[in-house]
Amino acid sequence: MSVNPEPSHEADSAAPAPAPVADAKAMRRAFGMFATGVTVVTVGGDGPHAMTANSFTSVSLDPPLVLVCVDRGAIMHGCLTAEETFGVSVLAADQEPLARHFSNRWRPLGAAQFDTVDWLPGPLTGAPLLTGTLARFECELWRTYDGGDHSIFIGRVLSMEQQDDRDGLLFFHGRFRRITPDRSEVTA
């Protein structure tokens, strides 16, 4: 006996025709239907740099790995390749101004982009880590993979800090969002 009967296809006939995959704007809107957290990825060294990124995720616990996807045309792409260590700061719900600052194409570059924000150098890499965030990671570049117009940078986590007392900043449907107060815990 089937618990879930087969879905009716009647509702599908009223749905709009699918957009062609080659339509980049439609593809961006469709990808935007997946809610993500918001981070700021940073590199230190002689030319420190930061960028807001929502294409960040955990990959493995053993070894501890994370990934971030970066557009090949972004300044951060060259910085990650050259520096080989980076930081990731996971933003809290009240840190939308930081996300907007580090996604602003007209902000100062180099060390000057950090002049108006609170940060500290990572103890192992020197990468700028933003203060007041939910979590901070220091990573060394472990692997890089082709991801079309992006590269997939996988970092081995060298250090981490976390705070559990606040909600995270989300990005959904092209806008910053906050988690609602209703919570449920998922255990593995």
Side-chain angles (χ1 to χ4, degrees), residues 2-12:
S2 173
V3 176
N4 295 320
E6 287 189 33
S8 167
H9 295 285
E10 293 173 23
D12 289 343

Side-chain angles (χ1 to χ4, degrees), residues 38 90-96 132-134 166-170 178:
V38 182
V90 179
L91 300 185
D94 62 350
Q95 293 182 308
E96 182 179 333
T133 57
L134 297 180
R166 296 180 300 153
D167 287 332
L169 182 62
L170 296 179
R178 293 178 181 228

Side-chain angles (χ1 to χ4, degrees), residues 49-52 69-81 105 107 149-151 153:
H49 188 67
M51 71 169 231
T52 301
C69 298
V70 179
D71 187 298
R72 291 178 184 277
I75 294 170
M76 181 58 79
H77 193 278
C79 293
L80 281 170
T81 304
R105 293 177 189 257
R107 73 183 184 280
D149 58 3
H150 283 59
S151 288
F153 293 96

Side-chain angles (χ1 to χ4, degrees), residues 40-41 48-52 75-76 98-110 112-114 116-117:
V40 173
V41 178
H49 188 67
M51 71 169 231
T52 301
I75 294 170
M76 181 58 79
L98 286 174
R100 290 189 179 281
H101 173 73
F102 289 112
S103 64
N104 182 344
R105 293 177 189 257
W106 295 278
R107 73 183 184 280
L109 295 180
Q113 68 190 296
F114 297 97
T116 60
V117 301

Side-chain angles (χ1 to χ4, degrees), residues 56-59 64-68 86 88 137 139 153-155 157:
F56 166 82
T57 192
S58 59
V59 175
L65 301 174
V66 297
L67 72 74
V68 62
F86 61 97
V88 179
F137 302 92
C139 305
F153 293 96
I154 297 184
V157 177

